[in-house]
Amino acid sequence: DVVRGGLITNSQLLSCRSGKLTPSQVAKNIIAMLEDCDKSTPPLRAIVQWDQEQIMLMAEASTARYRNKCTLSCLDGIPVCLKEEFKVVPYHHRVGTVYLGTQPETKDATVAKKLREAGAIIIGVSNMHELGTGTTGCNPNRYHRIPRNPYNPNHFTGGSSSGSAAAVAAGLCPVAIGTDGGGSVRIPASFCGVVGLKGTFGRISCHGSLPLSYSTVSVGPICTSVADAAIVYSILAEPDLLYPYGLKQPKVTLSGMCAPDLKSLKLGVDWTFFKACDAEVLSVCEKAVEHLQSLGASVVEVSLSEMEEARVAHVICILSEMRDFLQPDFNKHFHEMNLETRASLALASQFTALDYIKANRQRTRSMRFLQDIFSTVNCILTPAVPCTAPRIYESDLLTGSSDMSFTVRSMRFMQLGNFTGIPGLVVPVGYSTTGLPISLQVMAKWWDEAVLLRIGLKLEQFRDQTKKPSIYYDVLA
């Protein structure tokens, strides 16, 4: 049931098994499309490193497995990409910079290794905001340039997993992997009209990604559908001896995900917090909540305590940890960094040890508040982002974009999940009058991704149509 309508439809699966459609044929289509992406005006800049030979080797191996009826998993033959923050053989681990990753990688990050073991075809590494320091995806350096939103190429994708969301929305692959320290999976997924899942802190291994912030970052998939996200999550989520934060996690389950309704579920909403968004976003998201109620769920008003304190504390934690890890880079490569990155790291240097200690005390308080809330409700609902994707200006192409007020606003509904480690899922639920995507976010208690996916499947039913992006490639054509 989960696979149906997900990564590959039943008819396509039968075509693969019969040999009428092969991963090799799909891979050839993708290679042609990647070439077209680079030549288009403006370039999509979703995938920033790819290798034709590598893609075809993986595709041919998958084709042989289908021929011999010995596929490895539901992901066998499925095109995927990974954010450049992950080490992926044989690509450069640049992490959005011009100075890192001077040599090709020789060892995969854990998630890349698991995707290969599942038979997925890694089509390349995707663009990202330099060092994950922003939420627009704007990265004007020579290796990356500005990724374009497939729904409107004059608008940003969101960040920092910018290319991952753009690649999925544009049809280049149904699965991309990102990291999320302040909304970096969920913001671009929302702006690009696709599904984004931030797992519980520690649920999916971060080993092999640059450890920019050790206490706020989670890994998660960006996908075309909730079913896709469930499949990828079930394959990637498990303890990794090389990543100690997730060693004691409970067993992954998708129990109840495909229940026919939402009866018995209690959806928590802090309406004051919920309504702090653009009118157009609020209207669509309120109707999506009503849809969930129509399926038997009850809406319970909750109070999210000390949200302003939590917001400031999250910023202190993530920037302090990034500044600590990047101190050598800041000293040695300052002039090679984008202007926005320099400003963010300079700001981080103003925080003191006392600030960091107080911020972590707030984390303990916020987690206690959430424990109380989740004793009465199954999840918390918010809009994903208070606005739609912002416009790209000519100056952004040359010098980048540094708008702290936008950064703060775009993370409004994201930070609670990163600060406390709870999982969050964003699902597109509609569009603005200008055709830009709008999404709703569902957050649940630690390790309860299954309830997010259950609700997410029902949210997909609310959207009566999925508008095709203005930039879209049909890899099965």
Side-chain angles (χ1 to χ4, degrees), residues 161-177:
S161 306
S162 51
S164 296
V168 173
L172 293 173
C173 54
V175 175
I177 308 299

Side-chain angles (χ1 to χ4, degrees), residues 68-229:
N68 296 324
K69 298 180 173 57
C70 59
T71 51
L72 299 173
S73 77
C74 293
L75 283 180
D76 206 326
I78 300 299
V80 305
C81 69
L82 293 95
K83 185 179 184 178
E84 200 181 54
E85 193 170 331
F86 294 99
K87 294 181 179 180
V88 182
V89 178
Y91 303 109
H92 295 265
H93 188 216
R94 293 192 177 115
V95 199
T97 72
V98 297
Y99 65 87
L100 289 174
T102 55
Q103 298 297 320
E105 285 303 314
T106 57
K107 192 172 182 180
D108 281 329
T110 295
V111 288
K113 180 174 178 284
K114 290 180 74 66
L115 288 168
R116 289 190 202 275
E117 291 170 348
I121 300 170
I122 298 174
I123 66 170
V125 294
S126 49
N127 206 342
M128 63 176 287
H129 206 110
E130 186 180 59
L131 296 170
T133 55
T135 60
T136 60
C138 184
N139 188 349
N141 77 47
R142 66 181 182 273
Y143 286 140
H144 298 87
R145 315 310 298 175
I146 312 299
R148 304 293 178 140
N149 191 317
Y151 276 90
N152 187 327
N154 294 318
H155 287 249
F156 283 117
T157 57
S160 63
S161 306
S162 51
S164 296
V168 173
L172 293 173
C173 54
V175 175
I177 308 299
T179 58
D180 191 315
S184 289
V185 160
R186 292 163 292 157
I187 292 171
S190 302
F191 283 164
C192 292
V194 290
V195 172
L197 172 65
K198 182 198 88 71
T200 303
F201 177 77
R203 181 61 112 172
I204 300 175
S205 175
C206 282
H207 177 72
S209 66
L210 201 69
L212 295 168
S213 169
Y214 65 86
S215 76
T216 67
V217 174
S218 296
V219 176
I222 296 174
C223 301
T224 51
S225 71
V226 174
D228 295 357

